[in-house]
Amino acid sequence: MSPAVQRRFGGLRALGFGARLALAGGRENTVRTVLVVIGVGLGVAMSLLASSVPSARHHRDERIHRRIDVNLDDRTIEASDHTVLISDIDTVFRGKGIRGRMVEPEGPAAPLPPGVRHYPRPGEMVVSPALRRLLTAPGSELLRERLAHPVAGEVGDAGLLDPGEYVFYLGGDHMVAGVGGTRRLDHFGKAYPPKPLPPELVLLSVAGIVVLLVPVGVFIAAAVRFGGEHRNRRLAALRLVGADRRMTATVAAGEVMVGTLAGIALGAILFMAGRQFAGRVQIQGLGVFTEDLTPEPPLVLLTVLAVLTLSLVVTRLAMHRVAVEPLGVVRRGGGRTRRLWWRVALPLLGILLLRTSVRNPSDLQGTLQVGTMVVGMLALLVGVTAVLPWIVEGLTRQLGGRGPLSWQLALRSMQMNGETATRSVNGIAVAVAGAVALQTLFTGLAHPPGDSTARTSQGIPPPRAQVGVARLDEGTTNADEYGAAFAVTPGVQEAADFAELTVTPPDGGFPQTVRIADCAQLRRLASLPSCSDGDTFLATSTGAGRIHDTTTWKAGVTLRIGASGPYWKTPHVTATAHATSASPPGDVGERVLLATPRAAGPTAMAHAVRTVSLTYTATADDVQDRIRTTAARLDPSFTVDFPGRPRVDPALAGIRRALLAGVTAVLLLIAASMLLGALEQIRDRARLMAVLVAFGTRRRTLASSVLWQTVLPVGLGLLVAALTGTTLGNTLLGLLGRPVLHDWSTLLAMVGMGAAVSVGVTLLTLPTLWRSARPQGLRHE
């Protein structure tokens, strides 16, 4: 038999021997294998969850397309037995968006919305299961008062984006197409051809994928190294009986392969078991249906190959750093100082690649540019795991020799094996760095240049009094009662009732706002010198001087009401006035025309929208929900808007919720990794702790030393993570030319969450510590 064949068969025998060691190497080896299997299983389950994202997004998009209830064909739909009238009656309750529709079928063959078995009768409604639970939950009295309609059924899964979505359909009566936002449909749903995402969403999606998967990789890399000290001592025994270094490395690979393969199987089982409960769990307000979590087969294969490759590479690198000799493991005899240059070069290379990968936002559609950006992000985040051990080693060297006994025990333990001390901390540092980067990116994308709402992210408190606007399209019945009803709502200071319409020049141009009311109501909107029916005033807000004024308020100028309404001539302007704080801002923050009914004329009155401007106390409890409840009781078609609230792109908000849910799940995964790593360290030092207790060391001192071993690396890791995450977020915003804004309270909360996870894991290890410190721990075989 040739030497090459002998080496091949010898390698296979070494792999098989390593596999037998993993399964029959005694109690210590069994515990180590179980830890590896659990760690790899959790990481694989998270990876399979990530591989289900394309399928979940596809199913979600299909449901969105199926329930589109707008006529997008630019054709006239005549009333028939196959049509239905529908209008939007969305609402918000304590920050939760509720999708509402008022429907009235025009015949027995009217199309049903997805998930609805039958139309509710007038005054009844069908609700989603989540909304039914919210209506019956304690503290939802305002919502029950707002939606005080009998429930006649539930919306099925086909009509919901996720199990936790709030949706209702209210039966209407005497609805008229074209009035109050009512439209006629002969079918639901619309198929859209795929289109490229905007650069902002591409950047956010790519950053989210990298940020979520890198901590999982760090977690798996730490998991396959559980029990490394015991493994190295066993390999030293193999060297004593004649095995060379190549054979010991092959045996170690075989031992790790068993744990990795078993972990992959366990991860598949955990994923399939957790998939059955997916519909009952929501993270960051985001949930999925069970059928949504179907991993893509190519991604599953890629996950398995990546986990196997990562476990073998990590094991090989760990063996490279340790000299396994016949007489022992040569690593305990004092290590050399870690080299810094390549550790710093890694994140610097990442920053360089990020800054040079994208020259303008349109480059984000290119594969090469996106690939370079991904490599840069990987280099920057992985750089955290490279820099942190050097920082911990240098700090422990400077702080050693001083302090209480628990402090010295912790420092000495980290000096002996600083790599083990930072192995599990690397995961939480990378996760927090990614979370900080995502939050920085979210804040910058949510507040474009010149957005006045950006001040709220910088810690400036909102004013005590704010202005809200309630509108009812084509609402003329009982119009005089609207302002009085809002005025008596708790928290409302003043209610100005008027009619409002938007006019534009026939040849195009900026929309201009006209508000029509009697003199008493107009005085609430502006400081008028004098007023009588037939007068018209030009109101200028205090901030209008900062904006270029493009309004053309001249007497006799012909303007068009709305986009396709009748023509209307501008009346003579009696005087100018300054708008009060109760006046809502115009469409573009410019001058607004205030007219009495006689000056506006019957045409303007017929096409105006009934509007109530509300000045309310921002600090009052549930004041916005009380206003919405009042509006819904007056008419379900009332829409309420609070201009001071920041407006966020729905697509951006959806990606934000998904990524924050992923970050939360990754933090839970890293917490499990830290717990397993801490238990492994206590198990490795069980005899040492038993000896210390036998010589009179108090258990409280040992517990304090374990806490210090966690707090010090975690504190340094969170500091590095905050700096790295902020740098990454700022760099990504720079690629889009967006301003850098930081929501410091949220960033501190993320860092605090990481610290809380670390301390909580340490407390969970105390029972194991007490058991390890018993005199029975002195026994040794």
Side-chain angles (χ1 to χ4, degrees):
M1 188 177 294
S2 64
V5 175
Q6 290 181 355
R7 285 195 300 270
R8 185 180 300 114
F9 279 98
L12 292 176
R13 285 196 297 269
L15 282 174
F17 183 69
R20 290 196 299 272
L21 280 180
L23 299 174
R27 178 176 176 274
E28 294 291 338
N29 218 27
T30 302
V31 173
R32 173 188 176 272
T33 303
V34 170
L35 289 176
V36 172
V37 171
I38 294 176
V40 174
L42 292 174
V44 169
M46 181 62 68
S47 300
L48 291 177
L49 179 63
S51 65
S52 303
V53 170
S55 175
R57 179 185 173 187
H58 175 69
H59 291 166
R60 188 181 182 91
D61 289 343
E62 282 189 338
R63 287 192 291 269
I64 291 175
H65 295 165
R66 283 199 302 264
R67 75 176 189 183
I68 289 177
D69 50 14
V70 179
N71 180 21
L72 301 176
D73 298 332
D74 294 331
R75 60 186 177 88
T76 302
I77 301 176
E78 301 295 339
S80 69
D81 290 344
H82 300 270
T83 58
V84 60
L85 297 176
I86 187 169
S87 64
D88 300 344
I89 51 173
D90 299 338
T91 186
V92 178
F93 179 67
R94 291 177 180 166
K96 303 182 180 84
I98 301 176
R99 185 177 190 264
R101 296 292 186 268
M102 182 181 293
V103 291
E104 182 182 350
E106 294 185 297
L112 286 169
V116 177
R117 296 182 179 179
H118 58 84
Y119 277 109
R121 290 180 294 185
E124 295 182 344
M125 64 180 181
V126 293
V127 300
S128 64
L131 182 56
R132 183 190 286 269
R133 291 192 296 269
L134 182 62
L135 285 170
T136 58
S140 299
E141 292 80 8
L142 284 174
L143 183 61
R144 287 194 290 270
E145 184 180 355
R146 188 184 313 173
L147 302 180
H149 309 287
V151 177
E154 285 192 351
V155 181
D157 294 348
L160 305 175
L161 299 186
D162 59 70
E165 188 182 19
Y166 303 117
V167 176
F168 72 95
Y169 289 90
L170 176 64
D173 193 16
H174 300 99
M175 299 175 65
V176 180
V179 177
T182 301
R183 52 197 179 272
R184 177 177 286 115
L185 299 176
D186 57 4
H187 71 281
F188 286 87
K190 174 71 175 179
Y192 283 104
K195 60 180 180 179
L197 288 175
E200 295 84 357
L201 300 186
V202 172
L203 180 61
L204 196 55
S205 301
V206 172
I209 292 173
V210 174
V211 163
L212 295 182
L213 292 184
V214 169
V216 175
V218 174
F219 171 81
I220 295 176
V224 299
R225 298 179 62 185
F226 287 151
E229 297 295 333
H230 291 278
R231 180 195 63 198
N232 293 338
R233 287 195 288 271
R234 286 193 305 275
L235 296 178
L238 293 178
R239 293 277 284 132
L240 186 61
V241 297
D244 58 11
R245 293 184 178 179
R246 175 180 294 181
M247 182 174 292
T248 56
T250 307
V251 170
E255 191 174 353
V256 169
M257 284 287 290
V258 171
T260 303
L261 291 174
I264 292 174
L266 177 62
I269 294 173
L270 291 176
F271 173 76
M272 295 304 296
R275 183 175 179 267
Q276 305 305 316
F277 302 94
R280 305 179 185 178
V281 179
Q282 280 202 334
I283 302 177
Q284 296 289 340
L286 183 69
V288 293
F289 293 105
T290 300
E291 59 271 16
D292 293 344
L293 297 182
T294 305
E296 298 287 339
L299 295 180
V300 173
L301 179 61
L302 181 62
T303 298
V304 173
L305 294 178
V307 171
L308 289 173
T309 303
L310 181 62
S311 63
L312 292 177
V313 170
V314 169
T315 303
R316 183 63 180 172
L317 291 177
M319 293 296 299
H320 180 71
R321 297 192 187 101
V322 180
V324 179
E325 300 296 343
L327 297 180
V329 181
V330 184
R331 186 173 59 182
R332 298 182 178 275
R336 61 183 180 181
T337 303
R338 301 175 188 268
R339 296 180 180 178
L340 179 62
W341 66 269
W342 70 269
R343 301 175 187 272
V344 176
L346 196 59
L348 291 179
L349 175 63
I351 296 176
L352 179 63
L353 290 176
L354 286 173
R355 292 191 176 277
T356 58
S357 60
V358 177
R359 298 294 182 182
N360 54 73
S362 61
D363 292 341
L364 288 171
Q365 305 294 343
T367 304
L368 178 62
Q369 289 81 358
V370 172
T372 306
M373 185 179 67
V374 169
V375 173
M377 294 179 62
L378 288 174
L380 187 57
L381 291 176
V382 174
V384 175
T385 66
V387 173
L388 187 57
W390 182 87
I391 296 177
V392 172
E393 180 185 76
L395 190 61
T396 54
R397 187 185 303 112
Q398 296 296 326
L399 298 178
R402 296 181 297 273
L405 179 59
S406 61
W407 174 259
Q408 294 187 41
L409 286 175
L411 290 183
R412 184 55 180 165
S413 176
M414 288 187 287
Q415 289 173 356
M416 290 292 295
N417 196 351
E419 187 175 355
T420 302
T422 58
R423 187 185 305 161
S424 58
V425 178
N426 280 334
I428 199 166
V430 172
V432 171
V436 170
L438 287 180
Q439 183 59 39
T440 303
L441 188 58
F442 286 140
T443 305
L445 293 179
H447 300 296
D451 189 354
S452 60
T453 60
R455 61 185 178 89
T456 59
S457 65
Q458 300 174 359
I460 300 177
R464 292 179 56 86
Q466 293 185 351
V467 176
V469 180
R471 292 185 175 90
L472 180 62
D473 293 345
E474 307 293 341
T476 56
T477 305
N478 300 325
D480 297 336
E481 300 178 4
Y482 294 153
F486 282 108
V488 298
T489 301
V492 175
Q493 299 175 346
E494 188 177 11
D497 189 359
F498 54 90
E500 184 176 77
L501 64 135
T502 301
V503 295
T504 54
D507 56 351
F510 287 98
Q512 301 170 183
T513 302
V514 180
R515 291 176 182 146
I516 308 168
D518 56 28
C519 291
Q521 297 296 333
L522 291 182
R523 286 194 175 94
R524 296 181 177 180
L525 300 177
S527 301
L528 305 181
S530 62
C531 178
S532 61
D533 194 10
D535 290 342
T536 304
F537 305 92
L538 195 59
T540 305
S541 62
T542 55
R546 297 191 298 268
I547 304 175
H548 179 62
D549 190 5
T550 58
T551 53
T552 54
W553 296 117
K554 296 180 180 179
V557 174
T558 301
L559 302 174
R560 189 159 198 168
I561 298 177
S564 58
Y567 292 100
W568 177 75
K569 288 188 177 181
T570 307
H572 174 72
V573 177
T574 306
T576 59
H578 290 287
T580 63
S581 59
S583 178
D587 290 338
V588 290
E590 300 178 348
R591 296 181 296 174
V592 176
L593 189 68
L594 303 180
T596 55
R598 182 180 174 184
T603 301
M605 293 295 295
H607 292 81
V609 175
R610 178 56 56 182
T611 306
V612 182
S613 178
L614 306 164
T615 304
Y616 64 94
T617 304
T619 56
D621 294 336
D622 295 328
V623 59
Q624 292 187 354
D625 284 313
R626 294 182 186 277
I627 292 172
R628 290 191 177 98
T629 299
T630 300
R633 292 177 61 188
L634 291 172
D635 193 309
S637 299
F638 247 118
T639 59
V640 182
D641 182 34
F642 299 99
R645 299 179 61 201
R647 298 181 181 273
V648 182
D649 181 11
L652 177 63
I655 294 180
R656 179 181 186 273
R657 290 171 59 202
L659 294 183
L660 289 181
V663 168
T664 303
V666 167
L667 282 176
L668 294 176
L669 178 68
I670 298 302
S673 169
M674 293 187 65
L675 180 60
L676 294 177
L679 294 176
E680 181 217 2
Q681 292 183 39
I682 293 176
R683 187 173 61 87
D684 286 341
R685 296 195 300 270
R687 291 186 61 222
L688 176 61
M689 292 182 180
V691 170
L692 291 174
V693 171
F695 277 91
T697 305
R698 293 181 299 177
R699 292 186 176 183
R700 184 171 58 185
T701 301
L702 294 179
S704 300
S705 69
V706 172
L707 181 62
W708 282 122
Q709 289 178 60
T710 303
V711 169
L712 184 59
V714 166
L716 295 174
L718 293 178
L719 182 62
V720 174
L723 179 61
T724 304
T726 304
T727 302
L728 177 57
N730 294 348
T731 304
L732 294 177
L733 285 175
L735 300 181
L736 297 173
R738 292 297 185 93
V740 176
L741 297 171
H742 296 292
D743 188 351
W744 295 111
S745 60
T746 304
L747 297 182
L748 291 176
M750 290 183 176
V751 175
M753 187 186 304
V757 166
S758 305
V759 175
V761 167
T762 303
L763 295 178
L764 290 176
T765 61
L766 292 182
T768 304
L769 176 64
W770 304 145
R771 289 194 300 269
S772 301
R774 293 173 181 173
Q776 289 82 354
L778 293 173
R779 297 175 182 175
H780 181 62
E781 297 180 2

